[in-house]
Amino acid sequence: QLQLAESGGGVVQAGGSLRLSCAASGPAFKNFVMGWFRQAPGKAREFVARINWNYVDIYSIAVEGRFSISRDNAKNTVDLQMLTLKPEDTAVYYCAASRRVDYLKEEWAYDYWGQGTQVTVSS
């Protein structure tokens, strides 16, 4: 069982930056692929980024070049650095953990989820 808790959300102006953090408690954090998803009002939850055991990262087209995911296996944390934020980045951001090696842009591939943290980008 892995428990995840996000922090770092808030309100920022367009063009600004935020850093989200996800703290994991439980065994074998380093064995999980860690992902970030987001859900905007009235929309389905969507993939943002993920990082695997070997620190290989993948991003959605919407955030590539602006967001950066990183992990610290010694501290059991995974962060999402968000730069040049846009109003369309407004959403609840969720941290998730998966034991899978494939389909890692899909919600159903993830076994554990945090409660989410709100990010609001004003224009």
Side-chain angles (χ1 to χ4, degrees):
Q1 186 82 10
L2 199 65
Q3 293 182 326
L4 305 174
E6 303 93 338
S7 61
V11 180
V12 63
Q13 288 190 331
S17 62
L18 277 176
R19 188 177 184 90
L20 306 182
S21 187
C22 174
S25 59
F29 169 79
K30 65 180 181 180
N31 294 335
F32 286 86
V33 172
M34 299 302 298
W36 283 96
F37 285 74
R38 67 186 183 185
Q39 187 168 20
K43 295 188 177 181
R45 191 150 54 182
E46 65 175 5
F47 170 79
V48 174
R50 68 95 168 138
I51 186 167
N52 73 1
W53 317 269
N54 291 328
Y55 305 95
V56 174
D57 51 2
I58 289 179
Y59 301 89
S60 70
I61 293 172
V63 308
E64 188 152 20
R66 300 187 296 122
F67 291 13
S68 178
I69 188 171
S70 60
R71 68 187 297 164
D72 186 332
N73 287 340
K75 296 181 179 179
N76 282 15
T77 59
V78 57
D79 289 355
L80 185 70
Q81 177 68 55
M82 305 185 295
L83 304 176
T84 319
L85 283 160
K86 305 175 181 179
E88 52 263 44
D89 294 318
T90 295
V92 177
Y93 283 72
Y94 297 90
C95 174
S98 174
R99 295 187 182 94
R100 296 185 66 98
V101 297
D102 53 3
Y103 297 101
L104 289 166
K105 293 184 179 181
E106 306 296 334
E107 265 189 87
W108 55 262
Y110 289 79
D111 306 289
Y112 302 105
W113 292 83
Q115 294 298 307
T117 185
Q118 177 71 47
V119 172
T120 302
V121 185
S122 61
S123 57

